[in-house]
């Protein structure tokens, strides 16, 4: 296993500590760590309310932390955890909204590596999760 994946796992695990913020909001039950283009690691955690439009996924929070801190939009690698490292189940992959967000954030994110199964060292690219993305033509104009 590449050392960067171990670093990402440790960073994400620090953000995983499920808590009830209020009777309406839960946080920290999904955590993400990403490596930006310059090699910096950024983290995020989910923030979910009883009203779905107010929810923030861990992946997007990590990306927003990256952009706010550095202005970067390109992600090299990302890992998502719940109560364990990714183990080949789709629950540790970015949801459809996050997949779309990363593509819109930077077309180069299609090559972003995402940890699918930590123990088996299976890595997939965002492009595999969102093939033939509808917005690519706008980048090519």
């Amino acid at each position: 296993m590449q050392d960067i994946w171990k670093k990402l796992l440790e960073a994400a695990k620090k953000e995983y500590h499920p808590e009830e913020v209020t009777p309406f909001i839960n946080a920290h039950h999904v955590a993400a760590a990403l490596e930006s283009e310059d090699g910096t690691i950024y983290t995020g955690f989910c923030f979910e309310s009883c009203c779905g439009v107010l929810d923030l996924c861990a992946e997007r929070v990590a990306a927003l932390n990256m952009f706010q801190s550095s202005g970067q939009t390109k992600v090299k690698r990302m890992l998502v955890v719940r109560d364990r490292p990714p183990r080949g189940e789709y629950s540790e992959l970015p949801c459809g909204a996050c997949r779309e967000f990363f593509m819109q954030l930077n077309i180069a994110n299609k090559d972003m590596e995402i940890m699918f199964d930590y123990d088996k060292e299976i890595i997939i690219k965002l492009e595999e999760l969102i093939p033939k993305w509808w917005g690519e033509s706008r980048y090519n104009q």
Side-chain angles (χ1 to χ4, degrees):
M1 179 70 59
Q2 288 181 4
D3 191 43
I4 185 60
W5 291 109
K6 292 176 185 175
K7 288 179 182 176
L8 289 170
L9 178 60
E10 290 308 310
K13 285 167 66 174
K14 289 178 184 174
E15 292 293 343
Y16 179 81
H17 49 91
E19 64 181 87
E20 185 177 280
V21 179
T22 71
F24 307 99
I25 296 175
N26 293 307
H28 290 278
H29 57 282
V30 178
L34 61 80
E35 179 190 12
S36 65
E37 184 174 29
D38 74 359
T40 304
I41 293 175
Y42 296 92
T43 60
F45 59 87
C46 65
F47 202 78
E48 293 183 348
S49 71
C50 63
C51 178
V53 297
L54 302 177
D55 294 352
L56 296 170
C57 293
E59 300 92 327
R60 281 181 278 155
V61 171
L64 291 171
N65 285 335
M66 174 184 69
F67 183 74
Q68 180 182 14
S69 296
S70 68
Q72 294 179 85
T73 59
K74 185 176 177 186
V75 177
K76 290 174 22 179
R77 294 175 187 88
M78 185 169 62
L79 181 141
V80 180
V81 299
R82 290 180 186 264
D83 58 344
R84 64 197 189 292
R87 61 179 184 198
E89 297 177 7
Y90 288 93
S91 64
E92 282 86 23
L93 291 177
C95 70
C98 288
R99 295 171 193 190
E100 179 67 26
F101 174 80
F102 280 102
M103 292 297 287
Q104 289 187 26
L105 188 61
N106 189 321
I107 189 65
N109 286 336
K110 68 182 178 180
D111 295 322
M112 172 176 59
E113 295 180 343
I114 303 166
M115 180 55 70
F116 182 68
D117 191 305
Y118 190 82
D119 292 332
K120 295 179 183 176
E121 300 184 24
I122 300 173
I123 298 163
I124 59 177
K125 290 190 176 188
L126 179 59
E127 186 172 43
E128 295 174 62
L129 298 175
I130 193 164
K132 299 180 182 170
W133 180 58
W134 70 271
E136 194 159 357
S137 63
R138 284 189 179 182
Y139 276 108
N140 296 329
Q141 292 178 354

